[in-house]
Amino acid sequence: MSHPIQFLLRAKEMPTHWYNLLADFPEPLPPPLHPGTKQPATLDDMKAIFPENLIAQEMSAERMIEIPQEVRDVYALYRPTPLLRAVRLEKALKTPAHIYYKYEGVSPAGSHKPNTAIPQAYYNKLAGTKRLATETGAGQWGSSLAMACQVFGLECTVYMVKVSFHQKPYRKLLMQTYGAKVYASPSRHTAFGRKMLAESPDSPGSLGAAISEAIEDTIKNHDTKYALGSVLNHVCLHQTVIGEETMKQMELAGEEPDIIYGCAGGGSNFAGIAFPFLREKIQGKKKFRVVAVEPASCPSLTQGELRYDFGDMAETTPLMMMYTLGHKFMPPSIHAGGLRYHGMAPMVSHCKKLGLIDAVAVTQTKVFEAGVLFARSEGLVPAPESSHAIAAVVDEAIKCREEGKKRVLVFNLSGNGLLDLAAYDTYLSGEMQHPTSGGGA
Ligand SMILES: *Cc1c(COP(=O)(O)O)cnc(C)c1O
């Protein structure tokens, strides 16, 4: 085999700036609204939960935003991440397509989430925050934030969706190893959690509910701020290091992508790989197709409505213009816990509305089929979330075979699945239900 399969950047080629797509949208993004007045949310409205430096970044229209040296020094633990060509998967599929994947699972927490956890902890430290409160689904965000808080000397409290707390003990232990306090949500530590428990003691919890608890904890404690692992503009911004590196690496590979894929829960890893490529698409330089892949059981982009909605169940967050299934939506406990969110990032939603991106939904059994095929051909066990992107890539690669067409497919492999083997167990033992009601997250 003579194809090069690894496209590595040197440390000094790590991006120095994040890319802000807000600067280039052909139509402005509708602003977040104050939940009470329904007027555009101001800096003052958000100061109760976020530090001012991050709010400024959330609202910034600056095109390229410099990554602070202190953040780059921590990124250097795992960045630049590799881009690989999946030649063995191509062979297994007998496809003329060329398949490339950007691998974000090399981070200490095993996913792309430290890309934003690190700068969020840094900016909070700078602003004098003592403790960060957050929610987590399957635990990837909680463990990423716990790691970043530890690096910058902040305390960290995590409200973890109850079903995952009990069924996925390893990420809880990872968070505790990094020094975080972890509560199963709904918990007795907040008024919202107690109210939920009184109404339904056996509630499995949801991300929307856990967000409500973390925000309440933040508002009631003045040294505490809140951190969100997806959805918001500044989170999408921080993730663009993925796409900036991928563009340079595709140059090394000497190919232009035809289609770019990312799985989409709240939309941040998808934004990370897609937005730098969309910059060129908007400038009319390139004609990539860009595809967000979501679970059929939580299909905000393909089945949701584009409207203002809350980010949480308690209706405390600003209203955001996004594709949403409604903030009371209780997603089934599918195995890809990281994709169980009722809404889609406003920036990603706006891309869909403007026709800059497409979206597809895939069923859970297809996702695991693709994940296992990938593990057996490439040797790497993908996170179930990432396997959504793989499933869409596999479909396209088969189409290329049937049409006898070579296309260059690039996807973000957002994390590894080494702490998700229980979900693989369910699949391998034939117990996985199809398509919307998996056994647990
Ligand atoms: C959290 C997570 C996701 C989903 O979050 P996005 O904000 O949509 O990127 C996807 N993949 C992995 C591995 C995750 O941990």
Side-chain angles (χ1 to χ4, degrees):
M1 182 151 2
S2 57
H3 296 294
I5 60 166
Q6 281 205 34
F7 303 93
L8 302 179
L9 296 175
R10 284 166 296 173
K12 64 177 186 208
E13 292 174 288
M14 199 205 301
T16 55
H17 291 72
W18 293 301
Y19 168 58
N20 184 6
L21 178 59
L22 281 179
D24 288 333
F25 272 135
E27 244 178 60
L29 182 73
L33 304 181
H34 185 280
T37 65
K38 307 272 160 38
Q39 293 301 306
T42 61
L43 196 133
D44 272 350
D45 296 334
M46 294 195 239
K47 259 172 29 190
I49 57 173
F50 296 116
E52 283 186 42
N53 49 13
L54 275 174
I55 302 169
Q57 210 164 60
E58 178 71 13
M59 298 175 158
S60 171
E62 197 181 334
R63 178 173 286 105
M64 302 303 297
I65 297 180
E66 188 166 6
I67 306 173
Q69 188 58 48
E70 292 85 341
V71 170
R72 277 187 255 168
D73 289 345
V74 186
Y75 275 175
L77 287 171
Y78 63 97
R79 306 212 72 86
T81 63
L83 178 84
L84 292 113
R85 181 161 161 208
V87 288
R88 291 172 182 81
L89 177 65
E90 292 168 13
K91 218 178 203 172
L93 293 168
K94 300 189 175 65
T95 179
H98 288 189
I99 301 174
Y100 292 87
Y101 61 99
K102 176 68 166 165
Y103 185 43
E104 290 293 309
V106 292
S107 81
S111 77
H112 66 285
K113 290 196 170 80
N115 296 337
T116 187
I118 292 162
Q120 288 195 51
Y122 167 76
Y123 286 117
N124 270 286
K125 182 69 182 183
L126 214 61
T129 305
K130 296 277 182 287
R131 180 172 70 108
L132 283 176
T134 197
E135 75 291 335
T136 197
Q140 293 103 327
W141 170 240
S143 47
S144 301
L145 193 69
M147 185 272 287
C149 282
Q150 195 51 235
V151 168
F152 289 106
L154 297 169
E155 291 169 49
C156 183
T157 304
V158 182
Y159 292 87
M160 184 173 191
V161 176
K162 190 182 275 173
V163 62
S164 300
F165 185 92
H166 292 300
Q167 293 182 358
K168 293 202 162 172
Y170 290 110
R171 286 210 181 86
K172 173 185 70 191
L173 291 167
L174 189 55
M175 289 182 252
Q176 291 168 338
T177 303
Y178 286 133
K181 275 216 173 65
V182 189
Y183 302 127
S185 167
S187 79
R188 307 215 155 268
H189 295 270
T190 65
F192 181 79
R194 289 188 293 272
K195 178 167 159 274
M196 247 186 110
L197 285 173
E199 284 164 10
S200 56
D202 298 325
S203 166
S206 74
L207 267 186
I211 294 174
S212 299
E213 287 204 275
I215 291 183
E216 183 186 326
D217 182 338
T218 303
I219 290 169
K220 288 184 176 165
N221 294 285
H222 77 281
D223 279 352
T224 300
K225 293 288 182 217
Y226 171 68
L228 191 57
S230 187
V231 179
L232 298 179
N233 300 347
H234 67 271
V235 179
C236 294
L237 174 81
H238 297 155
Q239 293 296 348
T240 58
V241 288
I242 301 173
E244 293 292 347
E245 287 180 6
T246 305
M247 287 179 106
K248 291 189 195 169
Q249 287 165 307
M250 286 307 294
E251 266 174 46
L252 288 180
E255 298 213 84
E256 289 263 329
D258 291 302
I259 315 182
I260 295 146
Y261 297 85
C263 66
S268 72
N269 88 88
F270 169 76
I273 190 146
F275 286 3
F277 286 98
L278 289 180
R279 172 176 64 217
E280 304 215 317
K281 186 164 169 167
I282 291 169
Q283 289 167 354
K285 288 191 200 155
K286 302 281 160 59
K287 287 208 179 82
F288 321 106
R289 223 185 122 210
V290 182
V291 182
V293 189
E294 58 183 11
S297 57
C298 199
S300 52
L301 271 179
T302 53
Q303 304 278 318
E305 259 185 277
L306 181 63
R307 62 174 169 87
Y308 274 108
D309 195 10
F310 292 98
D312 72 326
M313 286 183 83
E315 310 188 347
T316 41
T317 69
L319 289 158
M320 292 175 286
M321 176 60 90
M322 59 184 177
Y323 282 95
T324 176
L325 299 163
H327 61 284
K328 304 264 154 126
F329 178 77
M330 267 284 185
S333 41
I334 59 164
H335 290 278
L339 302 182
R340 296 178 73 214
Y341 186 66
H342 67 271
M344 184 54 62
M347 289 183 79
V348 172
S349 295
H350 202 51
C351 288
K352 172 85 182 339
K353 183 201 155 203
L354 296 175
L356 291 168
I357 63 167
D358 298 327
V360 297
V362 290
T363 60
Q364 182 164 241
T365 35
K366 280 198 76 169
V367 164
F368 276 86
E369 252 170 58
V372 168
L373 173 67
F374 193 85
R376 290 180 185 174
S377 44
E378 293 295 314
L380 190 164
V381 179
E385 289 87 354
S386 316
S387 297
H388 286 69
I390 301 175
V393 166
V394 166
D395 275 352
E396 181 65 30
I398 291 171
K399 205 168 133 211
C400 288
R401 178 180 73 207
E402 289 165 355
E403 295 173 358
K405 275 227 169 83
K406 179 204 148 184
R407 288 192 194 96
V408 178
L409 315 178
V410 180
F411 72 96
N412 190 38
L413 208 169
S414 52
N416 72 58
L418 294 178
L419 291 184
D420 301 294
L421 292 176
Y424 277 87
D425 180 29
T426 308
Y427 172 74
L428 292 171
S429 60
E431 284 162 25
M432 189 163 280
Q433 291 162 30
H434 173 88
T436 52
S437 56

